[in-house]
Amino acid sequence: GTLMVDAADSSWTTSTITNARCALIYADVLAGNNAIVLVDFDADYSTVAGTFTIQWAAGGMFTIDLTP
């Protein structure tokens, strides 16, 4: 089978961000090493006092193939 993780699109309003290249998805309720996955945007994206939005694909944020 396949495990698919999905979420609503993420937005940061009135943000100034320079050269965002990836997003780190993490579990902030866990103690210790909380990283789950790093999503590469394949390009740099920036905002100046605007809205930075990550639109997750129709297939989810990421998938894991669990078939042995």
Side-chain angles (χ1 to χ4, degrees):
T2 302
L3 171 69
M4 189 261 295
V5 178
D6 197 7
D9 293 346
S10 302
S11 295
W12 293 265
T13 58
T14 61
S15 64
T16 298
I17 297 173
T18 304
N19 299 331
R21 183 70 177 197
C22 56
L24 176 64
I25 309 303
Y26 66 97
D28 62 351
V29 296
L30 300 176
N33 298 323
N34 303 343
I36 297 172
V37 68
L38 184 73
V39 179
D40 187 352
F41 300 151
D42 292 327
D44 293 335
Y45 294 92
S46 301
T47 60
V48 176
T51 301
F52 185 83
T53 301
I54 301 173
Q55 294 178 323
W56 302 111
M61 296 166 64
F62 63 93
T63 58
I64 300 173
D65 183 359
L66 301 172
T67 306

